[in-house]
Amino acid sequence: MELILIYATVFLYLLSLAAYWLYFFRKTPLFEYSSLIVLGLGGLSHLCSLLYRSMILNYLPLTSSYETLSFLSFCIILIILLIQLRHKITVLGSFILPVALLIFIVALGMYKEIEPVKLIFRNRWFSVHLPFVFLSYANFVMSLGISIVYLIQEHQVKSHRIGKVSHALPSLAMLDSLNYKLLSLGLVFLSIGIVAGAVWEKEAFGSYWMWSPKEVWALITALIYFSWLHLRFFKGWRGKKSAFFSIAGFLSMAFTYLGVNTLFKGFHNFIK
Amino acid sequence: MGNIWNKLKSIKTAILFFILISLTSLVGTFILQDTNSEQLKETYGAFYGLFNLIGLFDLYNSWWFIGLLAVFCLSIAACSLDRFSSIYKQVVTPPVDLSDEYLKNLKYYHEFKIQPDLKETEASVGKLLEKGGFSKMTGKDATLFHKGILSRWGVLIAHVSVLFVLVGALLGYFFGFKGHLNLKEGQSVSIVNSDKKNISIPLGFDIKLNKFQVEFYKNNPETPKTFLSRVEITDGAVKSPGTIEVNHPINYKGISFYQASYGQDEESARFNLSVQNLQGKEIAKIKAGLNEQVPLPGTGYFVKPVLFYPDFKLDENMKPFSASAESNNPAVCLKLIKAKEKDIEFWVFLGMAEFHSKKKTPFLFKCLDYEQSNYSVLQVVKDPGVPFVYTGFALLILGLALSLFMYYRRIWVKVSGDKIIIAGMANRDPVTFEEEFEKIINQVKTKS
Amino acid sequence: MEIIIVGLSHKNAPVEIREKLAFQDNELNAALAGLKALPMVKEAVILSTCNRVELYLVVKELEKAEEAIKEFFSGYHKINRSFFEQHLYTYVGSEALRHIIRVSASLDSMVVGETQIFGQVKEAYARARQNGAVAKIFGNLFQKMFAVIKRIRTETEIGRLPVSVSSIAVDLAEKIFETLEEKTIVIVGAGSMSELTAKHLIKKGVKKVFVSNRSYENAVELAARVGGEAIKYESLYDYVLKADIVIVSTGAPHFVILRDEINRCMQKRNQKPLFFIDISVPRNIDPKINDLENVYLYNIDDLESIVNNNKDERAKCISKAEEIAEKGKEDLLKYFNSIVLKSS
């Protein structure tokens, strides 16, 4: 059952990606709407696979690398759909859908059968912590994509290279304002995630902050985004500088999520 | 003094603190944080002393790191005061009576020349705005309507929240402690050893482990489904029972007990042994605890288990040791004792019942199984800063949400000569405000 | 039953003749009625723009009809046939269908790819419909033809790329600001080029226009023409501070916008993007300001090179557009033949 849903999801995502790429080269309404609808269906099937797992686990489907990455790619897809519906920017899909798809495929590489949930995770604060952290990650990945597009477009406009590329990409103001929205929303989600994580840690281990590498890197990631927020408001660090901040924040976030677990062995083994 | 104050509240200082805190806490992830580690002495050799002195091995509790956080506190306090005075000026006592020229230069500006009754139109504009959720402030010859004041407070709340968290953390650091208790069933303690400071702290009451329970998943016997300690706290004449479970600590007089972990108490191991004669016929079944001498009936011999290794392995010198506390290869060393004879020591393995020591023994021994009781590992924490920290957490989310998702806008309505001026400005989100402003203008137009 | 087009365009008729044969907006109803009154004319659409005058007709008895139409031109405008006859062209059947498509797709325009003409054709059709001059054949053919044009529009870049300096400026501004609504522009120097560009920008919703010129009277004049506000030349930078777009075109032989001033400006305006258009020769804006963050500077050469690039791009699209037009014509023809078969 789960596998059928997963295959359907991959198939629909690939189909929608094809539509996005065709749209990039040939801007017809057919490709615009079909990409959106097929992606929506893919997202629905993806959601079902997550819900299925969740029902069996009787917990959030966020207990293994496969599940977290799958959830992350689902959140990204959701944001792509929302932006396309709200701001009518179809072209972003051709850049960011491959990223989401890649994450999903990496997740499938780590596919594991359902395992029982560790006791320590059965906590209401932990079940707040997980989804918000991954929602914030999705925002940051999305913002990274938009920042890269911004840098490309900025370079085109600045160096007077107005042509196919600059026409295909959205305007600088649109990209910058999307970037602002994604980053500030991501920052709120990350803060909720960190705070909920801390409360959980207090209930499980007796300290709300233990300075583990994971926590230290989460703090650094949050501080990068908070620096961005301050500099943007008070020093006008918009545009290019915002984009660079988004890239730095993403790198820190990626290290928090993936690097810490592999580099600092045995430290996140909360419980045997 | 004013200069230092201005520096403290500047953006540059804030960013500098962000960077300093990031970098220093980063250092702590690359150096093992354990002042008792022998390994560190080897790695850093001559520098160990120096590094230890400046607190590199207990960085997050070192005087300078705590000092850094304290100065950061000051900086945020300065920012918060600054925010407060600017909010006070802008929101609580905002300028109402502005010149026509000033209003004309605002981004959103509109003037009407509606005759004959300007005052009536002004009043209806006011009603419209108040209906739209704007609050009203009346000046001498102009009226100010503003909305989204909470977004301005949100910024202040977010800053104050960090103050709460940091103050709470410092309170915990100075007036709290953390320690571990390894409690066997039936054991009772009134003192806990602090993890960091190497001192014993009296709890002021007794805590006794009555029963420890662990249950495993049926289809996955490695993963515990639940484990809990049933304890009893005795404080003078008052006795109160309690259950400590994973994720469900108990709290008594400001001291919290958390179910951290559990372990097998090897000291308590009891072995079921089967004794056979050399022909393989069982002559006795006996039970013996560790270091308990039990007679072999009718032989004059005594058996005494002297060592127990749950994960028996041989090191490079062929010396046995236990590789872990897991019962991967449990083995017991038995001593056979008889008066006037030399004691014989030999190993018996649980997993290999047919394996017998090469040593000559008058009997063959099989260890059928063994029993062990668990001990419960409780984390003991006293942290008077927690209420502050949690308040800070809640305020942080509230402040962030208010300041990022709401925005402050002001609209002035003024009758000047033969016209009504409506002018406005917004802190952020010009697009939404533009729509709001135009809607108001259009409504006024249709009304008059 | 046959389709015929009779008309003349910028390609073969000088403006003196075109203007004589043109139908003003208020004459169209009468002209359509006049055409309908002709016995061989079944359906009629009149397209009259400054570049072309064309009558699209469904007729019986082709040869008689052609004569009658020429007479109609002469009679309606009260001019001698010899005056215009050698400039008229006639397309029939398949040729006529191809011509309608090519005209509407702007493949026959003076500036290939301009988008206005399609709107004009649509209007002409709507007007004919209102007057009852359109029946089943044109009713269906025009709808089908509109679909073909939309296909050409979406599948080729034709018409999407601007090819004039002022429309490029609008295009660039939209690439930077997304929308020009609520934006403020400052015009420095009262040249005709800056006026044209400003008008283009205003059409797109620019909210405030400030005009500055060395001679204040000229500034006031231009401000009145574009609906802006004249400002003193000395306080130029105060307004640049509030502006989003600055168009400079003065005759000054030196820079009037300096890098250091703009640098200071950008700090004061919290780095809000600023778009400079320098259409003066010699240049009036220090080219070094393009190095400042969030400042974008285009001079006349930059704009013209984009114009040329876009023209090249359009030329590349033409053959593709022609292909789609040809295919569309075949479909239309098939449809037309089937109707004619049925009715006979």
Side-chain angles (χ1 to χ4, degrees):
Chain A
M1 171 70 184
E2 191 187 23
L3 284 175
I4 295 171
L5 285 168
I6 288 172
Y7 285 134
T9 308
V10 173
F11 173 74
L12 288 167
Y13 283 174
L14 282 171
L15 203 64
S16 148
L17 183 62
Y20 276 113
W21 279 350
L22 284 169
Y23 177 81
F24 191 77
F25 294 109
R26 193 174 272 191
K27 307 217 161 10
T28 67
L30 171 73
F31 295 140
E32 187 177 355
Y33 295 121
S34 61
S35 64
L36 184 72
I37 290 163
V38 175
L39 189 65
L41 288 174
L44 204 64
S45 148
H46 197 162
L47 180 67
C48 289
S49 83
L50 288 167
L51 286 176
Y52 175 79
R53 216 164 230 254
S54 179
M55 265 164 54
I56 293 191
L57 277 168
N58 189 20
Y59 192 72
L60 296 168
L62 290 169
T63 59
S64 66
S65 299
Y66 159 70
E67 288 165 19
T68 53
L69 284 170
S70 170
F71 181 72
L72 176 60
S73 62
F74 173 72
C75 291
I76 297 172
I77 301 279
L78 204 64
I79 298 174
I80 296 177
L81 287 170
L82 285 176
I83 290 182
Q84 191 169 346
L85 280 172
R86 193 142 167 227
H87 298 280
K88 309 260 173 286
I89 309 177
T90 306
V91 73
L92 286 177
S94 32
F95 290 91
I96 295 162
L97 183 56
V99 179
L101 194 56
L102 187 74
I103 293 174
F104 191 49
I105 286 167
V106 170
L108 290 179
M110 300 180 171
Y111 181 82
K112 260 205 269 177
E113 290 297 324
I114 295 169
E115 281 179 8
V117 183
K118 289 200 175 87
L119 192 52
I120 200 83
F121 296 150
R122 288 211 180 265
N123 177 294
R124 62 208 151 130
W125 289 104
F126 195 68
S127 53
V128 174
H129 167 71
L130 284 171
F132 275 100
V133 164
F134 285 103
L135 267 174
S136 80
Y137 284 4
N139 274 271
F140 295 146
V141 171
M142 197 73 196
S143 151
L144 172 82
I146 282 173
S147 294
I148 291 171
V149 176
Y150 180 93
L151 291 176
I152 295 171
Q153 180 73 311
E154 212 267 351
H155 183 252
Q156 303 290 319
V157 175
K158 193 83 169 185
S159 59
H160 306 158
R161 260 174 251 177
I162 298 302
K164 275 200 176 119
V165 179
S166 71
H167 278 284
L169 301 179
S171 71
L172 292 173
M174 172 65 90
L175 289 167
D176 190 50
S177 103
L178 275 178
N179 205 9
Y180 167 74
K181 282 179 191 156
L182 285 167
L183 283 182
S184 46
L185 198 62
L187 187 53
V188 173
F189 287 159
L190 183 67
S191 302
I192 296 175
I194 289 179
V195 162
V199 177
W200 164 71
E201 207 171 323
K202 174 79 191 156
E203 285 191 359
F205 307 110
S207 328
Y208 49 80
W209 197 262
M210 300 204 290
W211 295 106
S212 72
K214 196 105 180 166
E215 287 165 300
V216 169
W217 275 96
L219 178 70
I220 292 173
T221 307
L223 286 180
I224 290 175
Y225 289 119
F226 275 117
S227 304
W228 162 80
L229 194 68
H230 282 88
L231 288 168
R232 185 175 174 111
F233 278 150
F234 295 102
K235 297 274 169 199
W237 281 32
R238 61 184 90 214
K240 240 162 113 174
K241 282 176 174 153
S242 264
F244 284 131
F245 254 102
S246 168
I247 293 171
F250 169 81
L251 290 177
S252 171
M253 175 219 103
F255 190 76
T256 312
Y257 178 32
L258 303 169
V260 168
N261 290 10
T262 45
L263 228 79
F264 300 94
K265 236 181 8 194
F267 211 102
H268 218 54
N269 289 351
F270 274 122
I271 202 126
K272 54 179 198 157
Chain B
M1 193 61 209
N3 198 11
I4 295 176
W5 185 255
N6 282 336
K7 279 222 169 96
L8 264 179
K9 70 181 191 194
S10 78
I11 288 294
K12 271 187 196 154
T13 313
I15 303 293
L16 182 72
F17 273 114
F18 287 177
I19 294 171
L20 277 178
I21 291 171
S22 298
L23 288 182
T24 46
S25 51
L26 195 56
V27 170
T29 64
F30 289 108
I31 298 173
L32 184 65
Q33 295 294 299
D34 182 3
T35 40
N36 302 324
S37 170
E38 290 296 318
Q39 197 197 332
L40 282 172
K41 274 183 197 160
E42 272 171 41
T43 324
Y44 294 101
F47 295 105
Y48 178 82
L50 179 69
F51 283 6
N52 199 15
L53 197 71
I54 58 172
L56 274 191
F57 305 126
D58 190 14
L59 192 144
Y60 305 112
N61 291 306
S62 67
W63 60 269
W64 54 268
F65 191 76
I66 300 294
L68 181 67
L69 293 184
V71 183
F72 183 47
C73 250
L74 273 182
S75 157
I76 292 179
C79 275
S80 306
L81 272 177
D82 191 45
R83 289 283 98 205
F84 181 76
S85 74
S86 98
I87 294 170
Y88 190 81
K89 268 185 223 146
Q90 259 198 32
V91 180
V92 184
T93 55
V96 178
D97 292 307
L98 293 167
S99 69
D100 291 9
E101 196 53 36
Y102 183 90
L103 293 176
K104 200 162 187 189
N105 273 322
L106 293 180
K107 199 158 178 209
Y108 304 94
Y109 177 86
H110 204 96
E111 55 178 54
F112 292 101
K113 290 191 176 162
I114 300 162
Q115 299 293 351
D117 207 340
L118 284 174
K119 282 281 161 200
E120 199 173 288
T121 316
E122 189 194 16
S124 77
V125 174
K127 256 185 224 149
L128 250 170
L129 285 166
E130 278 182 293
K131 225 169 137 194
F134 283 81
S135 19
K136 180 174 163 184
M137 292 194 107
T138 318
K140 253 189 269 151
D141 54 7
T143 321
L144 168 67
F145 297 88
H146 55 177
K147 189 176 174 181
I149 301 163
L150 280 176
S151 88
R152 305 287 295 155
W153 290 112
V155 180
L156 182 65
I157 291 170
H159 282 90
V160 170
S161 78
V162 182
L163 267 186
F164 268 94
V165 172
L166 286 175
V167 166
L170 291 174
L171 277 178
Y173 175 76
F174 287 112
F175 303 110
F177 68 83
K178 236 174 274 174
H180 275 92
L181 282 180
N182 291 3
L183 280 181
K184 290 177 200 170
E185 282 182 0
Q187 198 182 356
S188 170
V189 293
S190 60
I191 285 174
V192 64
N193 285 321
S194 159
D195 281 352
K196 289 278 178 197
K197 293 167 195 161
N198 264 334
I199 43 165
S200 298
I201 298 156
L203 292 172
F205 52 84
D206 287 325
I207 178 161
K208 181 181 173 194
L209 178 64
N210 282 337
K211 181 97 189 116
F212 176 79
Q213 287 171 331
V214 56
E215 240 180 82
F216 294 90
Y217 281 105
K218 261 188 203 133
N219 48 0
N220 201 326
E222 296 293 307
T223 313
K225 197 171 151 195
T226 173
F227 54 97
L228 54 89
S229 302
R230 296 194 192 284
V231 296
E232 187 179 63
I233 287 171
T234 314
D235 188 6
V238 187
K239 281 191 182 199
S240 38
T243 307
I244 307 168
E245 226 178 313
V246 178
N247 285 327
H248 299 285
I250 62 167
N251 189 302
Y252 189 80
K253 288 199 166 167
I255 298 174
S256 306
F257 296 89
Y258 297 84
Q259 183 72 62
S261 164
Y262 66 92
Q264 259 130 23
D265 177 18
E266 280 147 33
E267 300 285 306
S268 73
R270 287 179 68 79
F271 306 93
N272 283 324
L273 300 170
S274 152
V275 190
Q276 302 166 346
N277 63 18
L278 294 171
Q279 283 76 43
K281 192 165 171 270
E282 185 173 278
I283 54 171
K285 262 191 173 169
I286 55 171
K287 255 189 191 178
L290 207 57
N291 292 322
E292 184 189 356
Q293 198 164 312
V294 180
L296 269 178
T299 61
Y301 279 96
F302 291 88
V303 175
K304 181 177 173 188
V306 287
L307 269 175
F308 173 60
Y309 288 158
D311 192 0
F312 181 93
K313 280 225 167 69
L314 291 173
D315 68 5
E316 56 264 44
N317 303 323
M318 299 304 281
K319 250 184 87 185
F321 71 106
S322 190
S324 72
E326 308 288 317
S327 51
N328 291 328
N329 182 21
V332 56
C333 182
L334 298 178
K335 200 184 237 183
L336 208 52
I337 304 165
K338 192 176 186 185
K340 287 176 200 154
E341 273 184 32
K342 218 178 154 199
D343 297 349
I344 311 170
E345 265 189 31
F346 56 93
W347 285 95
V348 172
F349 296 88
L350 261 92
M352 297 175 279
E354 301 312 315
F355 176 84
H356 298 295
S357 166
K358 278 181 223 148
K359 283 188 184 160
K360 278 239 160 144
T361 50
F363 312 102
L364 298 177
F365 285 88
K366 263 190 201 170
C367 185
L368 300 172
D369 61 3
Y370 68 100
E371 293 158 11
Q372 232 177 351
S373 64
N374 291 317
Y375 62 88
S376 175
V377 182
L378 298 180
Q379 171 119 45
V380 188
V381 179
K382 183 182 172 189
D383 191 343
V386 168
F388 285 85
V389 175
Y390 280 13
T391 311
F393 283 171
L395 290 179
L396 176 68
I397 305 300
L398 178 71
L400 267 182
L402 286 179
S403 54
L404 288 175
F405 303 141
M406 292 180 85
Y407 68 104
Y408 181 54
R409 60 271 206 201
R410 285 176 278 181
I411 293 175
W412 284 269
V413 181
K414 182 177 181 183
V415 176
S416 168
D418 61 344
K419 60 184 189 264
I420 292 183
I421 294 170
I422 301 178
M425 63 198 273
N427 272 36
R428 235 177 294 133
D429 209 351
V431 183
T432 324
F433 182 62
E434 185 196 317
E435 282 165 13
E436 196 171 11
F437 191 76
E438 306 239 298
K439 218 170 104 189
I440 292 159
I441 299 295
N442 285 335
Q443 277 172 323
V444 176
K445 271 184 193 160
T446 48
K447 271 207 171 174
S448 52
Chain C
M1 209 76 79
E2 196 51 277
I3 292 176
I4 182 171
I5 298 175
V6 180
L8 74 178
S9 76
H10 59 91
K11 284 209 170 145
N12 45 16
V15 66
E16 303 89 84
I17 295 174
R18 296 206 308 268
E19 65 192 13
K20 287 265 158 50
L21 292 190
F23 298 92
Q24 298 309 314
D25 194 60
N26 53 5
E27 302 169 5
L28 276 173
N29 295 354
L32 282 166
L35 278 173
K36 250 180 30 183
L38 296 176
M40 342 48 192
V41 172
K42 295 279 151 207
E43 299 183 33
V45 172
I46 301 176
L47 176 71
S48 176
T49 75
C50 48
N51 282 328
R52 68 179 69 237
V53 181
E54 290 181 344
L55 307 181
Y56 305 107
L57 305 161
V58 177
V59 295
K60 282 192 301 197
E61 299 168 81
L62 194 61
E63 258 142 60
K64 257 202 209 163
E66 199 181 336
E67 273 307 299
I69 293 159
K70 285 179 186 169
E71 274 306 313
F72 170 79
F73 266 123
S74 160
Y76 187 89
H77 292 293
K78 301 191 180 63
I79 35 175
N80 213 324
R81 269 177 71 166
S82 62
F83 179 66
F84 60 83
E85 209 168 347
Q86 81 255 35
H87 297 292
L88 279 186
Y89 46 72
T90 309
Y91 296 106
V92 178
S94 147
E95 288 294 307
L97 289 170
R98 176 188 293 136
H99 185 71
I100 297 183
I101 295 175
R102 291 192 70 248
V103 166
S104 308
S106 177
L107 287 163
D108 199 49
S109 302
M110 188 135 59
V111 182
V112 173
E114 53 111 351
T115 49
Q116 237 180 342
I117 184 71
F118 184 39
Q120 289 165 334
V121 172
K122 273 182 168 169
E123 251 170 60
Y125 167 74
R127 180 60 81 86
R129 218 183 145 82
Q130 280 164 21
N131 283 282
V134 169
K136 193 180 164 197
I137 296 180
F138 268 175
N140 287 307
L141 277 180
F142 269 78
Q143 291 306 335
K144 283 189 188 295
M145 191 265 289
F146 293 158
V148 174
I149 304 304
K150 273 185 191 139
R151 221 185 121 205
I152 292 175
R153 286 274 185 84
T154 51
E155 292 188 16
T156 72
E157 290 287 324
I158 208 159
R160 197 169 294 140
L161 297 170
V163 286
S164 72
V165 166
S166 49
S167 52
I168 295 267
V170 170
D171 203 44
L172 279 169
E174 283 177 338
K175 274 288 152 229
I176 296 169
F177 300 112
E178 176 73 25
T179 161
L180 294 179
E181 276 164 37
E182 286 307 312
K183 295 290 178 282
T184 302
I185 61 177
V186 170
I187 303 170
V188 188
S192 62
M193 195 63 180
S194 48
E195 182 177 342
L196 189 68
T197 311
K199 278 186 174 157
H200 245 90
L201 291 166
I202 291 161
K203 222 200 268 168
K204 289 281 179 174
V206 162
K207 183 126 189 194
K208 262 185 192 163
V209 182
F210 295 110
V211 183
S212 162
N213 196 48
R214 217 166 248 298
S215 125
Y216 187 69
E217 290 74 48
N218 287 355
V220 172
E221 239 174 71
L222 177 56
R225 279 206 299 277
V226 299
E229 188 184 323
I231 54 171
K232 291 267 184 309
Y233 192 72
E234 297 72 45
S235 53
L236 172 61
Y237 284 113
D238 296 341
Y239 289 89
V240 170
L241 197 61
K242 294 185 205 167
D244 301 289
I245 302 168
V246 180
I247 304 167
V248 183
S249 155
T250 78
H254 53 80
F255 294 149
V256 296
I257 301 277
L258 304 173
R259 183 186 178 278
D260 288 349
E261 290 287 339
I262 298 305
N263 194 12
R264 225 164 296 146
C265 231
M266 286 307 283
Q267 274 163 21
K268 268 198 233 164
R269 75 210 304 274
N270 228 355
Q271 303 291 332
K272 238 170 70 190
L274 195 45
F275 177 30
F276 285 94
I277 303 168
D278 186 355
I279 29 186
S280 26
V281 182
R283 289 174 297 175
N284 284 161
I285 301 179
D286 185 350
K288 276 193 280 214
I289 69 163
N290 196 42
D291 302 337
L292 296 171
E293 208 170 314
N294 294 322
V295 175
Y296 304 94
L297 166 66
Y298 279 74
N299 64 34
I300 189 72
D301 279 4
D302 300 327
L303 295 172
E304 265 168 5
S305 86
I306 297 171
V307 167
N308 290 334
N309 280 346
N310 286 359
K311 279 188 180 157
D312 292 350
E313 279 300 314
R314 273 195 184 183
K316 276 187 216 155
C317 301
I318 288 176
S319 62
K320 180 106 199 287
E322 294 278 10
E323 238 173 72
I324 301 171
E326 194 60 31
K327 241 203 256 155
K329 182 213 80 183
E330 291 299 324
D331 291 346
L332 259 63
L333 190 63
K334 248 187 241 162
Y335 178 76
F336 175 69
N337 287 340
S338 72
I339 293 182
V340 173
L341 258 176
K342 259 188 229 162
S343 60
S344 63

